[in-house]
Amino acid sequence: MNPELKQTIRKFAPVSIAAAAIALAWFAWTKLRTPAIEDGLARGNGRIEAIEIDIATKLAGRVEAILVAEGEFVKAGQPLARMVMSSLQAQRAESVARQQEALHSVAGAQAQVALRGADQEAVQAQVRQRENELDAARRRLARSESLAREGASSGQELDDDRASERTAEATLAATRAQLKSAAAAVVAARTQVTASQSEVAAAAAAVARVDADLVDSTLLAPRDGRVQFLVAQPGEVLAGGGKVLNMVDLTDVSMSFFMPESVAGRIALGSDVRIVLDAAPQFVIPAKVSFVASVAQFTPKTVETDSERQKLMFRIKARIDPELLKQHLEQVKTGLPGIAWVKTDAKAAWPERLAVKITP
């Protein structure tokens, strides 16, 4: 072989081998790879979450009984725990007694109104009598004055009639004052009736308040769910607002995951989501985007370059259909990790492996 040709081959052989290796690697990568993210889809890691509810006491007291066990499914309105109610029952008895006392006070005040009204009528009759007596005294005085001018009556008789007329006027004035006093007494008695009726209303409200506390002493489930764990045990004394147990609403379940700014900006509320749990990868659970954070959860101190903007992560929440959850309450578990797939392009189609699959 020509020496020059050999030298040329030795010179370009490494370059040719490297080019062939790159071409082979590119072919294998393009033909054999399985893409992690399809066109129009994005994924994020998250955990299944549910609405947690702390069942707590309204008033301070001792726990009498826990009526459910951890992990038990409960219905809305079902009794969960009961507090000792002996103190409240005694308070109710006291309030009922005060209510009865107030009712008797109303009856007594109403009787006083009737009595004062009768007194007022009697004084009114006396006023009419005194008015008649004054009128008669004035008539006698007029006759006496006429007779005295004619000399047919003595001066003594005239003086007596004048004294009688003044006495009748004074008596009438005194009786009219008594009438005003009697009318004021009627008003005072009616005011006492109003006050007594207010005491009855206050006593009834006190009974109703104690009844409400008695009702609240039996802790009820506010909604359907599952008891997650017990905090207190029978016999423990709790302060007002003390936690007794914790439950989760399994009809309000969602997954929270995070997406970079470039993806989160293209996700709309109501977008379709597919959830695949690590514990059950054979199932694909449908959901809808119910929340997209307006503020990034992870932000560097300054954002000056494109690479730094890509670090901005926004929280997204995908909620599972409550009706679907009700059909599979026994299988719903909170805290399970998984992957949420979401469409970034509304026109993109779900691949076969992300088709909804709920049952085996």
Side-chain angles (χ1 to χ4, degrees):
M1 182 179 294
N2 190 335
E4 293 181 356
L5 179 61
K6 289 182 179 180
Q7 184 177 1
T8 302
I9 292 175
R10 283 195 300 270
K11 181 178 180 181
F12 290 99
V15 176
S16 300
I17 294 173
I22 292 172
L24 181 63
W26 179 86
F27 177 81
W29 181 76
T30 55
K31 295 297 184 182
L32 302 179
R33 74 182 179 96
T34 300
I37 301 178
E38 286 82 358
D39 292 337
L41 301 178
R43 56 177 284 179
N45 296 318
R47 289 182 179 273
I48 293 294
E49 302 172 349
I51 297 297
E52 294 190 12
I53 307 167
D54 289 327
I55 305 301
T57 64
K58 177 181 176 182
L59 302 173
R62 187 183 302 276
V63 180
E64 181 178 7
I66 303 293
L67 307 177
V68 292
E70 291 182 347
E72 182 177 341
F73 286 89
V74 296
K75 294 290 185 180
Q78 178 179 337
L80 304 178
R82 186 170 59 249
M83 306 296 291
V84 174
M85 295 181 283
S86 55
S87 176
L88 289 174
Q89 289 168 345
Q91 291 180 26
R92 188 183 190 283
E94 180 182 1
S95 298
V96 169
R98 289 181 177 175
Q99 185 180 23
Q100 293 299 320
E101 181 182 1
L103 289 172
H104 292 315
S105 296
V106 170
Q110 290 173 340
Q112 285 294 318
V113 170
L115 178 61
R116 299 306 178 191
D119 291 342
Q120 185 181 19
E121 291 177 358
V123 176
Q124 286 174 339
Q126 291 178 4
V127 167
R128 289 192 293 270
Q129 181 182 355
R130 299 295 182 258
E131 288 174 344
N132 292 332
E133 291 174 353
L134 177 60
D135 182 65
R138 285 174 176 173
R139 289 175 184 273
R140 284 194 302 270
L141 177 61
R143 286 194 299 269
S144 297
E145 289 175 343
S146 178
L147 292 173
R149 285 193 298 270
E150 295 174 358
S153 175
S154 65
Q156 182 63 46
E157 186 176 355
L158 178 60
D159 292 340
D160 291 342
D161 289 339
R162 285 175 176 170
S164 297
E165 189 263 348
R166 287 194 294 270
T167 300
E169 285 182 347
T171 303
L172 176 59
T175 306
R176 284 176 174 171
Q178 291 177 2
L179 179 60
K180 291 182 179 179
S181 177
V186 171
V187 173
R190 288 175 178 168
T191 303
Q192 184 59 42
V193 170
T194 303
S196 298
Q197 290 173 338
S198 298
E199 291 178 0
V200 171
V207 173
R209 177 180 56 78
V210 176
D211 285 340
D213 290 341
L214 284 169
V215 171
D216 290 336
S217 293
T218 299
L219 308 183
L220 306 178
R223 59 181 77 178
D224 296 349
R226 183 177 63 211
V227 177
Q228 191 162 232
F229 54 85
L230 302 180
V231 180
Q233 294 297 328
E236 291 187 33
V237 176
L238 302 178
K243 296 180 182 179
V244 177
L245 57 89
N246 175 278
M247 62 175 289
V248 291
D249 180 4
L250 297 181
T251 62
D252 193 352
V253 177
S254 59
M255 173 179 278
S256 291
F257 55 98
F258 295 88
M259 288 290 182
E261 175 268 340
S262 59
V263 176
R266 291 183 288 167
I267 297 176
L269 293 175
S271 299
D272 288 333
V273 178
R274 296 290 187 267
I275 296 175
V276 180
L277 299 177
D278 294 351
Q282 70 274 24
F283 299 124
V284 179
I285 305 168
K288 296 281 187 181
V289 173
S290 61
F291 171 81
V292 178
S294 58
V295 178
Q297 265 59 42
F298 307 114
T299 310
K301 292 182 179 180
T302 57
V303 180
E304 298 177 353
T305 66
D306 290 341
S307 61
E308 287 174 337
R309 282 198 294 273
Q310 292 175 2
K311 298 176 184 177
L312 299 177
M313 301 296 288
F314 290 78
R315 177 172 173 262
I316 299 173
K317 187 175 181 180
R319 188 167 184 259
I320 303 174
D321 184 9
E323 295 300 323
L324 177 62
L325 292 168
K326 289 179 181 179
Q327 300 172 14
H328 303 84
L329 282 180
E330 296 290 340
Q331 286 76 39
V332 178
K333 302 291 187 299
T334 58
L336 296 179
I339 298 174
W341 292 85
V342 62
K343 286 184 178 182
T344 57
D345 182 0
K347 297 180 180 179
W350 291 108
E352 181 63 26
R353 65 188 183 83
L354 291 179
V356 175
K357 186 178 182 182
I358 305 299
T359 57

